Amino acid sequence: MSTVYIHVGTPKTGTSAIQVFFTKNRKLLKEKGVCYPNLGFDFPGINSNRNAHCLNAYIYDENHKRLRDRERETADQALEKLIGMLDRFPNFVLSDEQIWNNKDINTERLNHYKEKLAEAGADLKIIVYLRRQDLLIQSYWAQQVKENMTTSFSDYLVSKKAKYFKLDYQKRLKEMADAVGRENMIVRVYEKQQYYGGNIISDFLHLFDLEMTDEYKQSDHVVNASLEGACLEVKRLLNNNPRFTTKLNFVVPMLTTIQQEMVGEGGYSTGKYFSEKEHAEFLEKYREGNEKIARDYLGREDGILFKDEVVTEGDGEAETYSAEEMVEILGKIIVMQRDRILQKNEELAELKAPINGIKQKVKNLAHKVLDR
């Protein structure tokens, strides 16, 4: 009997890194009995590494109206493709972080997936990584600022956008457990000190009794690197200019490089976005539910789910970095852009050199012909 594992996030818990790793090592993982299948679906703006997106994709018509029947049909088609592979491997992994926050992936829908797989002789298990709620909401706000948002963290915290997140983990886990059974819920904590092997990839592999070894291909860059602190505030302010609001605009790689350099030099202010009062009130909302998760899913009688220290600094994001630091960052952007222009000019000159040589030869030849 095969087992299908659906990795549902949560967002901002290393899902991109896991998806890239499993895609890069698809062949080797198959040899070890773990299949990360490509089910053959493509969705605009969605990386193909997210191989479970077909189970919860939003599909629209030309008038941007949700086609919910089409969405369910697509999910069922994906399941049929998966079922056709079940006799080839003992374990299958599907991953998409949108599943966690997608309200349409409810108990009824998950139960439907479970029944379809059960009819084919497969079990369904759900893998979820939980990040402390204050850190997750800060990380997601930072991601949106990195793209194009201008809203401050304090305003974001009380906005409708923030309410999109299912931060009541205990409630969301119950919805899923009611479909697949609590015994089929694999709950892990997104904290380095709680990872098996000290990193997210080793921890995920260990769920399948696999160890991280040198035989695996690893990404040579940070997947979806974050901006924070002063570099993030610079980007938020620049977002008021339309030139900087495209998702992959030119300033983000420069800010990422600058941040890495400044962190290496020391003294870089990463920023904490909650005030002390906001922070305490925010965490208190989820304390009881988190304690219940620790007891019910991890067997921790002390009720401690998250072990990292809670750190609060300042009264708001504007007071966590200095004007001097932000001006320094802007200066670095100007210098980097100037250096890039100079480099491009040098490369252009090198490309033009052979052409200019040919032009001169043609010119000399023309003179000789005319002088005859």
Side-chain angles (χ1 to χ4, degrees), residues 60-308:
Y60 301 89
D61 65 12
E62 62 276 9
N63 298 315
H64 206 67
K65 179 182 178 182
R66 284 273 305 271
L67 302 175
R68 296 180 185 275
D69 289 343
R70 178 88 61 81
E71 291 170 0
R72 285 179 173 265
E73 289 172 8
T74 299
D76 283 344
Q77 289 170 8
L79 285 174
E80 289 302 322
K81 286 190 175 185
L82 181 63
I83 287 168
M85 307 176 185
L86 290 177
D87 60 347
R88 295 164 57 187
F89 303 98
N91 299 300
F92 291 81
V93 177
L94 302 175
S95 177
D96 187 47
E97 59 271 30
Q98 179 178 289
I99 293 174
W100 177 262
N101 287 316
N102 189 340
K103 64 181 181 181
D104 293 333
I105 308 301
N106 51 23
T107 301
E108 180 269 331
R109 186 91 167 262
L110 287 171
N111 190 59
H112 172 69
Y113 295 165
K114 179 186 177 182
E115 289 178 350
K116 293 273 287 186
L117 291 169
E119 289 172 4
D123 290 330
L124 173 62
K125 294 181 182 292
I126 290 177
I127 301 170
V128 58
Y129 279 79
L130 300 179
R131 186 175 189 175
R132 207 176 68 210
Q133 286 92 338
D134 58 325
L135 299 177
L136 186 145
I137 200 70
Q138 288 179 91
S139 180
Y140 199 77
W141 169 75
Q143 178 66 33
Q144 291 182 290
V145 170
K146 178 181 170 182
E147 294 175 6
N148 55 28
M149 195 168 70
T150 60
T151 307
S152 70
F153 181 71
S154 295
D155 289 340
Y156 177 77
L157 207 56
V158 295
S159 70
K160 289 183 179 179
K161 288 184 178 180
K163 291 179 173 61
Y164 165 74
F165 284 101
K166 294 186 180 295
L167 296 177
D168 187 342
Y169 295 160
Q170 195 273 330
K171 180 180 178 181
R172 182 57 167 154
L173 287 175
K174 185 178 185 304
E175 290 175 352
M176 294 183 168
D178 284 347
V180 304
R182 187 187 294 176
E183 70 280 5
N184 292 314
M185 297 291 296
I186 301 172
V187 177
R188 301 293 299 156
V189 180
Y190 185 74
E191 287 183 350
K192 186 174 182 179
Q193 65 171 302
Q194 298 198 52
Y195 296 152
Y196 176 87
N199 66 76
I200 190 74
I201 302 298
S202 293
D203 193 84
F204 201 92
L205 285 174
H206 190 63
L207 299 177
F208 307 96
D209 295 323
L210 299 177
E211 298 290 330
M212 173 63 82
T213 62
D214 292 338
E215 60 188 326
Y216 290 106
K217 299 175 184 176
Q218 298 199 51
S219 179
D220 54 2
H221 68 282
V222 178
V223 180
N224 197 18
S226 299
L227 289 178
E228 56 185 8
C231 284
L232 184 65
E233 180 66 0
V234 167
K235 180 60 171 67
R236 187 179 74 84
L237 296 174
L238 289 175
N239 287 342
N240 288 291
N241 184 323
R243 292 283 301 276
F244 297 99
T245 57
T246 55
K247 188 171 182 179
L248 297 176
N249 67 79
F250 72 94
V251 79
V252 169
M254 287 193 285
L255 283 170
T256 302
T257 299
I258 291 167
Q259 178 173 285
Q260 291 170 345
E261 290 176 353
M262 294 178 76
V263 168
E265 293 166 1
Y268 178 71
S269 174
T270 57
K272 299 293 182 290
Y273 309 112
F274 281 101
S275 69
E276 187 173 352
K277 182 174 182 293
E278 284 176 333
H279 207 173
E281 291 175 350
F282 187 85
L283 289 174
E284 180 60 25
K285 289 192 295 185
Y286 306 109
R287 179 183 57 79
E288 187 175 337
N290 289 350
E291 290 176 354
K292 187 170 177 57
I293 292 169
R295 294 189 182 97
D296 292 349
Y297 292 91
L298 299 176
R300 298 177 181 175
E301 291 304 316
D302 59 9
I304 297 175
L305 181 61
F306 301 107
K307 298 182 180 181
D308 284 354

Side-chain angles (χ1 to χ4, degrees), residues 16-26 29 36 49 201 205 212-213 216-219 223:
S16 295
I18 291 169
Q19 291 157 3
V20 168
F21 178 87
F22 269 67
T23 300
K24 279 179 171 284
N25 293 282
R26 190 170 265 140
L29 287 165
Y36 192 70
N49 296 334
I201 302 298
L205 285 174
M212 173 63 82
T213 62
Y216 290 106
K217 299 175 184 176
Q218 298 199 51
S219 179
V223 180

Side-chain angles (χ1 to χ4, degrees), residues 28-53:
L28 179 59
L29 287 165
K30 284 180 179 179
E31 294 173 3
K32 297 177 182 293
V34 179
C35 178
Y36 192 70
N38 181 346
L39 297 175
F41 293 87
D42 291 311
F43 301 94
I46 301 298
N47 195 301
S48 60
N49 296 334
R50 293 167 59 178
N51 67 344
H53 193 71

